[in-house]
Amino acid sequence: EVQLVESGGGLVQPGGSLRLSCAASGFTFNTYWMSWVRQAPGKGLEWVANIKQDGTEKYYVDSVKGRFTISRDNAKNSLYLQMNSLRAEDTAVYYCARDHYCSGGVCYTLYYDYWGQGTLVTVSS
Amino acid sequence: DIQMTQSPSSLSASVGDRVTITCQASQDISSYLNWYQQKPGKAPKLLIYGASNLETGVPSRFSGSGSGTDFTFTISSLQPEDIATYYCQQYTNLPPFTFGPGTKVDIK
């Protein structure tokens, strides 16, 4: 059974930092891209970042570029999101999601079929 | 960046009604369009991928169609357990992989 379990959320002051983790199990982690998606209270879904299987490619939404860093440890089947210079508008539930995989130059599963339960990040003084 | 719009933003329908939600992309996304269901306090759930493909285990009353810039999501016979917010998402080659603003569905 595929499982994604986020941790690391909490209350942080504006300008502070937080590191989110996502522990993956039930699938071959190092064959999939992985993503972070967030949802501000009462708002819609926003894609935040994703990372290639081997960590060599990373993409971010403009609003977090230069402040957030996505990374992964395939030996530990774990995904991370380092969040620095946090702002009130970063307050949200952060979900990790299984992204696509590519094989032989063709990419498959261009959707998020598995999601974690989410972890709440609150940026407030 | 590709922008996604959805309509309506909310709707109220009776059990057994046919419900239709539309999603429009700001540019051609071929069939790279997914639909998710989200219930309060829960993570989103994939229902439809590639515009019209039903995810395994999802009831057949859910369906999707469209290509290019215009897409439709349909619940053929609304059930009480379908009360949720529905999001479309474009997933073309380049990020950001934007979501629509969502459509909240409830029972009349």
Side-chain angles (χ1 to χ4, degrees):
Chain A
E1 179 194 6
V2 172
Q3 282 199 315
L4 298 169
V5 180
E6 302 97 336
S7 60
L11 175 64
V12 61
Q13 292 189 338
S17 298
L18 213 54
R19 187 195 197 207
L20 305 183
S21 299
C22 172
S25 61
F27 66 102
T28 306
F29 182 72
N30 63 10
T31 63
Y32 284 85
W33 286 67
M34 295 293 295
S35 275
W36 287 100
V37 177
R38 69 182 178 183
Q39 185 170 38
K43 302 297 184 181
L45 301 167
E46 180 182 39
W47 173 83
V48 175
N50 71 348
I51 184 169
K52 193 177 180 179
Q53 296 97 314
D54 60 5
T56 57
E57 292 182 38
K58 306 174 184 181
Y59 299 94
Y60 301 90
V61 68
D62 283 349
S63 59
V64 309
K65 282 179 183 175
R67 301 188 300 122
F68 289 12
T69 302
I70 189 171
S71 63
R72 64 192 295 161
D73 185 336
N74 288 340
K76 296 182 177 180
N77 288 344
S78 292
L79 175 72
Y80 305 102
L81 186 67
Q82 177 67 44
M83 304 185 295
N84 298 331
S85 302
L86 281 161
R87 306 167 179 167
E89 54 265 35
D90 296 318
T91 294
V93 173
Y94 285 74
Y95 296 100
C96 67
R98 191 174 79 168
D99 205 313
H100 68 282
Y101 73 94
C102 300
S103 177
V106 180
C107 294
Y108 304 89
T109 68
L110 299 178
Y111 44 77
Y112 301 142
D113 52 357
Y114 290 97
W115 300 65
Q117 85 287 354
T119 188
L120 176 62
V121 172
T122 303
V123 184
S124 174
S125 55
Chain B
D1 295 354
I2 298 173
Q3 308 302 318
M4 306 300 293
T5 58
Q6 278 182 245
S7 63
S9 57
S10 65
L11 66 89
S12 187
S14 301
V15 172
D17 280 356
R18 184 180 185 88
V19 168
T20 298
I21 299 168
T22 62
C23 176
Q24 188 169 57
S26 60
Q27 62 190 73
D28 189 340
I29 60 169
S30 185
S31 295
Y32 296 110
L33 191 283
N34 308 316
W35 290 97
Y36 300 88
Q37 175 194 66
Q38 187 180 33
K39 297 183 177 181
K42 299 294 187 182
K45 175 186 175 183
L46 176 70
L47 298 182
I48 303 285
Y49 63 91
S52 61
N53 299 288
L54 193 67
E55 172 69 341
T56 303
V58 173
S60 60
R61 64 180 179 274
F62 296 101
S63 65
S65 64
S67 66
T69 61
D70 295 298
F71 302 87
T72 300
F73 172 81
T74 300
I75 307 173
S76 61
S77 177
L78 186 68
Q79 300 302 304
E81 60 267 32
D82 301 336
I83 300 314
T85 300
Y86 294 84
Y87 296 92
C88 61
Q89 179 209 20
Q90 64 85 11
Y91 202 117
T92 53
N93 282 337
L94 296 174
F97 305 112
T98 42
F99 291 87
T103 296
K104 188 174 183 181
V105 174
D106 62 31
I107 298 289
K108 190 182 295 182

